[in-house]
Amino acid sequence: MSSFGSPGAGPYTGKPTPPQRGSFPLDHDGECKAVMTKYLSCIKKVRGMNDEECRQLAKSYLSCRMDRNLMARDDFKNLGFASESDTTNPPNNENQQGR
């Protein structure tokens, strides 16, 4: 019989890897809970689709966490959000000009 995976099979020799963006404290005091619940309701309402309203709520949630030092401050473009000018002025597609 093999003892693979059984408790006490030997010391663990692998090295744990930290999260890509580091660790951050949990919101134990619920400082951003209201925004989080609005976001989760939005995601449920649109059935997981990438809706603009939900994206704005996600941005508000991340902003709340950064404002309360629950995560490191970072540019929203690094967190997957386009800048305001990118969303209001979409780039022109040159392939559609001749139609």
Side-chain angles (χ1 to χ4, degrees):
M1 291 259 71
S2 173
S3 64
F4 179 74
S6 64
Y12 176 72
T13 58
K15 183 178 179 184
T17 56
Q20 187 178 20
R21 293 215 172 249
S23 62
F24 51 88
L26 298 175
D27 188 8
H28 291 293
D29 296 329
E31 298 176 70
C32 300
K33 187 173 183 174
V35 181
M36 179 194 61
T37 53
K38 286 180 187 176
Y39 169 73
L40 293 175
S41 295
C42 182
I43 289 295
K44 187 179 281 189
K45 180 177 75 174
V46 298
R47 297 182 179 163
M49 299 301 293
N50 191 10
D51 188 66
E52 182 61 29
E53 178 187 357
C54 299
R55 286 185 57 77
Q56 290 304 316
L57 286 168
K59 194 173 182 179
S60 298
Y61 175 66
L62 292 172
S63 180
C64 176
R65 289 190 60 86
M66 286 188 269
D67 291 345
R68 288 160 177 80
N69 294 321
L70 294 171
M71 67 181 282
R73 186 155 296 280
D74 200 349
D75 289 331
F76 284 108
K77 66 179 180 179
N78 296 336
L79 299 173
F81 295 93
S83 66
E84 296 296 323
S85 61
D86 290 347
T87 58
T88 56
N89 297 325
N92 291 333
N93 191 346
E94 295 178 15
N95 295 336
Q96 294 179 352
Q97 289 180 354
R99 292 183 185 178

